[in-house]
Amino acid sequence: MTKTVIAVGGHIGDMELTAGPTLAKMVLEGARAIIVDCTWGERGHPLLTPTEYREQKLHEGRFFADAIGAEFVALDYSDGFLPDDEAVAEQIAQIIRESKPDVMITHWIKSMHRDHVNAAKAALRGAFLASIPIEGEPLARHSVPSILHAENWEDMEGFEADTFVPIPDEAFDRWLAGISEHAFARGETYGFRFIDYYSALMQVKGCLVGHQRACAFKNAGTEKFALAGP
Ligand SMILES: [Zn+2]
């Protein structure tokens, strides 16, 4: 049976960077992958106006999804203003009810970025809402069997990896081709060498599990009950 994986990120580029290699690998194995970015990250460029960067970010998100064979959904929340509310969670829940994912990947719940925290909360709450009966909801409920937090240098407080996914060369190459289109990942916005960091991180994690490359994740645990209900 075809697997489905959904990745929920705060800004266009977050899940592409961190979950992207794993999504590329799963697509190569026949899975359906859906990237859901809650904001477009349009305020993240020191020179371009949000209006200019917004269109570029949308292009970058679509380019990446095409490069790895994923679907791309950009919710239209304002960068830096992603609310922590039921409306965002219900949008995620709707996508979960429709696509019935086997795996959901999102940010860790602690981050230097509020949008990352709120995206993680929306993803966890969305998974909860999708799993329970709701009066008047026409779609069948769906419980996501596996929820993983991706390793991200911006979300490291208390993050302890417990799951490692080997990344084959072809998946890495597709990830690199797609992420290289993202200006921020090339270090052109605030200078952090994202592509070098995550390429090296995959080598380091690969060493730990006996593969050339791997990505690390943390299984969602009891934190999801406190954040997302019941
Ligand atoms: Zn971000």
Side-chain angles (χ1 to χ4, degrees), residues 155-224:
D155 308 344
M156 288 307 285
E157 187 187 339
F159 181 92
E160 284 182 41
D162 56 23
T163 300
F164 296 84
V165 177
I167 303 299
D169 289 347
E170 192 176 350
F172 175 80
D173 291 345
R174 288 188 181 196
W175 170 79
L176 186 60
I179 206 67
S180 296
E181 186 73 4
H182 288 241
F184 85 96
R186 296 193 301 263
E188 291 173 16
T189 54
Y190 292 103
F192 187 84
R193 290 156 51 208
F194 286 93
I195 294 174
D196 285 347
Y197 179 89
Y198 286 98
S199 296
L201 188 65
M202 276 185 257
Q203 297 260 4
V204 169
K205 300 302 173 182
C207 291
L208 296 177
V209 291
H211 290 269
Q212 183 64 26
R213 295 184 183 86
C215 284
F217 296 90
K218 176 176 172 42
N219 271 285
T222 50
E223 82 280 357
K224 70 174 181 280

Side-chain angles (χ1 to χ4, degrees), residues 15-219:
M15 283 297 121
E16 290 82 346
L17 261 179
T18 59
T22 300
L23 301 179
K25 168 199 163 83
M26 292 182 72
V27 168
L28 284 166
E29 293 169 348
R32 176 187 182 194
I34 306 166
I35 299 169
V36 181
D37 294 329
C38 294
T39 83
W40 298 13
E42 69 275 8
R43 293 181 216 282
H45 200 290
L47 301 175
L48 299 179
T49 66
T51 305
E52 291 166 336
Y53 195 38
R54 191 177 148 82
E55 293 310 310
Q56 182 175 325
K57 291 290 280 184
L58 193 62
H59 160 76
E60 291 169 353
R62 287 177 175 151
F63 186 97
F64 181 87
D66 287 346
I68 68 160
E71 296 162 45
F72 175 65
V73 179
L75 304 184
D76 202 6
Y77 289 96
S78 185
D79 181 15
F81 297 89
L82 179 63
D84 175 13
D85 68 18
E86 289 292 276
V88 187
E90 180 50 43
Q91 281 181 274
I92 307 290
Q94 195 66 19
I95 295 168
I96 290 172
R97 289 187 202 103
E98 287 167 1
S99 61
K100 304 191 184 326
D102 304 280
V103 181
M104 182 173 78
I105 301 172
T106 189
H107 294 276
W108 174 229
I109 57 170
K110 294 191 177 173
S111 174
M112 64 172 80
H113 296 300
R114 183 175 179 270
D115 286 346
H116 293 194
V117 172
N118 287 351
K121 286 183 177 178
L124 294 172
R125 178 74 178 163
F128 171 70
L129 293 175
S131 72
I132 57 172
I134 305 251
E135 293 75 10
E137 171 55 56
L139 292 172
R141 56 177 140 157
H142 176 75
S143 184
V144 184
S146 174
I147 300 178
L148 301 171
H149 301 290
E151 182 168 8
N152 181 329
W153 79 273
E154 297 161 326
D155 308 344
M156 288 307 285
E157 187 187 339
F159 181 92
E160 284 182 41
D162 56 23
T163 300
F164 296 84
V165 177
I167 303 299
D169 289 347
E170 192 176 350
F172 175 80
D173 291 345
R174 288 188 181 196
W175 170 79
L176 186 60
I179 206 67
S180 296
E181 186 73 4
H182 288 241
F184 85 96
R186 296 193 301 263
E188 291 173 16
T189 54
Y190 292 103
F192 187 84
R193 290 156 51 208
F194 286 93
I195 294 174
D196 285 347
Y197 179 89
Y198 286 98
S199 296
L201 188 65
M202 276 185 257
Q203 297 260 4
V204 169
K205 300 302 173 182
C207 291
L208 296 177
V209 291
H211 290 269
Q212 183 64 26
R213 295 184 183 86
C215 284
F217 296 90
K218 176 176 172 42
N219 271 285

